[in-house]
Every structure is written in structure tokens, then in C-alpha cells.
Amino acid sequence: MSMMKIWNELLNLFFPSLCVLCHRPLIDGEEQLCLHCSCNLSYTYFDNADTNEVAQLFMGKFPFEKATAMFYYQKGGAVQKLIHALKYHDNQELAYYLGRQAAIRLKQAGFVDDMDVLLPMPLHFSKECKRGYNQAELIAQGMASVLYLPIETSAVKRVVNSSTQTHKEVYERWQNVQNVFVLTEKTKHLQGKHILIVDDVITTGSTIASCAVTCLSISNVRVSMMGIALAHR
Ligand SMILES: [Zn+2]
């Protein structure tokens, strides 16, 4: 046993990592979540279904290839706790972990076979400054560690901070998201590529749709969308 391993085991003995949901100490091989909690999450099982509830949000609105989410997000549920932990409690490793788990599932389902690049949903710079990181980017980094795809963060910029729209009606929100994003000058390398836009939670889908439509103005681009969770409305 290497010194490092002995040191880690000692550390774990005195300061065990805890499950982010039930706070029981994690055992060897568990990360972030204990097996019990991770088995009891509300998986959507959309995996490779072409028509699923996420895809239905976008159908007929703009051309896209595929759309999916890994979990259902329910108020007060375990997935909400996970999303809150990564968004507001600075649990950046959890974002990375969830990205990796999502990528493993998507890879098994063949969902990502022809995708070229991951594009985490850009945050408005003021929000990113406040939080210190973009959680979608951490999710994408976790995914990239499984899929070996590049991450694109400089082609699309969020120019409108649309976070204050939570209570508006769905229709109003679809109207409000036009011109939320703009392309920068750095898009040439994306021409002809299939872009997977990555986000944490998809609710009405209007913001991720706006990002997708912005990407579609790059020549010969195809877009797909994925969220860690789909919120029930
Ligand atoms: Zn647990």
C-alpha cells in the first residue's frame, strides 16, 4: 500500500466523506452519494428515446437533433437538493460528478455518438462573478472526462441576465428570451459541428432554446440539448 493511500485512508477514518443527501459516511467506491441514495434518484430513463418530455419542449420551434435530461426535478425532492448543493452551496465536485454520471449513461445509450463539442449554457457575467463559477461548465467538464469532447466557452455570450423571470408565465418567457445570447467572433471552428448544449435544470426550455437558436446561426451547425434535470411544471 502506498503512503498516499495509507494517508487517504487515515484521513477518511477521521474525516469521512459524507453522502450529500443522507449524510452517512461514504464507503470505498462511493463518491458524493451513497449507493442507496443514488439508486433512489428520480431517473427519467429517457436515454435514447427520440421523443421524450424534453424533446417535446422544443418540437416545432426550431430544428434540433436530440434532447434529454437525466433526472426529474421535483420540489423538495432529492434532485432539488443536489441542484441546490451545486448551485448555491459551492459544491463544485458534485457538478463534476453529476456530469460524469450523465455522460456515462448518454454514452451507453449512444446519445452522444455523433456529437463534436459540449457547450455549457453561458451565465451572465454578473452572475458568474457572484457565484465564482458556472455550474453548467463544471457539469460539462465532468462529461468531457468521459466523452473526450472539447468544451466551448467563448463562442456564445449571455447578454441578458434573465434570472428574474421565474414567476412569469410560460408564454411570456418564450417571448422574453429572444436576444438573450449573442455569438462572439470566435465561432469559425464550430462550423459544421454538432453541438451539445449542457445545462443543470431545464424548466420551460426557453433559455436553452434561445441559446440553441443563437448557435444555429453558425453555418451548418446541428444542436442538441441536455439537462441534468427536467423540472415538472
Ligand atoms: Zn445517502
Side-chain angles (χ1 to χ4, degrees):
M1 201 184 270
S2 72
M3 281 309 286
M4 198 59 195
K5 189 141 196 238
I6 294 171
W7 174 244
N8 280 337
E9 294 210 343
L10 273 175
L11 261 184
N12 218 9
L13 197 62
F14 293 106
F15 306 102
S17 306
L18 304 178
C19 170
V20 289
L21 290 176
C22 69
H23 308 295
R24 286 198 202 111
L26 295 177
I27 60 166
D28 224 15
E30 290 176 345
E31 224 183 306
Q32 300 289 332
L33 293 169
C34 72
L35 188 63
H36 176 79
C37 286
S38 88
C39 288
N40 281 301
L41 291 172
S42 46
Y43 289 95
T44 60
Y45 298 105
F46 291 160
D47 297 335
N48 210 17
D50 282 337
T51 50
N52 61 58
E53 287 166 61
V54 182
Q56 280 159 18
L57 291 172
F58 310 116
M59 263 170 205
K61 295 195 166 99
F62 61 92
F64 67 94
E65 302 290 315
K66 301 176 195 172
T68 194
M70 183 160 64
F71 302 114
Y72 285 112
Y73 177 104
Q74 282 151 325
K75 253 198 173 140
V79 172
Q80 183 186 37
K81 280 187 201 154
L82 293 180
I83 299 289
H84 271 238
L86 67 90
K87 249 179 157 162
Y88 306 111
H89 302 159
D90 206 28
N91 191 342
Q92 301 186 34
E93 269 169 44
L94 177 63
Y96 190 85
Y97 168 82
L98 289 174
R100 234 172 37 233
Q101 299 307 312
I104 290 167
R105 294 182 78 93
L106 295 177
K107 194 175 176 181
Q108 277 169 353
F111 183 91
V112 284
D113 284 355
D114 62 342
M115 294 184 189
D116 301 305
V117 58
L118 304 172
L119 192 147
M121 275 271 286
L123 279 183
H124 191 261
F125 75 92
S126 68
K127 198 181 260 180
E128 188 160 348
C129 280
K130 211 165 133 198
R131 190 171 295 159
Y133 59 94
N134 175 356
Q135 72 279 4
E137 202 174 320
L138 298 175
I139 293 166
Q141 281 170 13
M143 293 175 73
S145 74
V146 173
L147 305 173
Y148 303 107
L149 291 177
I151 299 175
E152 177 55 55
T153 55
S154 56
V156 183
K157 211 168 90 183
R158 190 169 187 147
V159 286
V160 177
N161 195 354
S162 45
S163 65
T164 48
Q165 307 194 344
T166 352
H167 302 294
K168 291 194 178 142
E169 290 305 311
V170 173
Y171 173 77
E172 232 181 297
R173 272 190 266 168
W174 275 95
Q175 295 295 301
N176 264 331
V177 288
Q178 284 167 12
N179 311 319
V180 168
F181 300 93
V182 292
L183 290 179
T184 67
E185 320 238 287
K186 299 169 197 148
T187 61
K188 212 162 190 181
H189 60 293
L190 293 176
Q191 289 179 5
K193 296 283 200 284
H194 185 173
I195 301 173
L196 177 60
I197 305 175
V198 175
D199 202 2
D200 50 6
V201 184
I202 296 175
T203 309
T204 64
S206 58
T207 319
I208 199 167
S210 171
C211 184
V213 169
T214 304
C215 289
L216 284 171
S217 53
I218 304 168
S219 105
N220 292 320
V221 146
R222 289 174 297 146
V223 291
S224 291
M225 284 80 61
M226 76 81 65
I228 291 296
L230 169 68
H232 276 300
R233 282 149 299 127

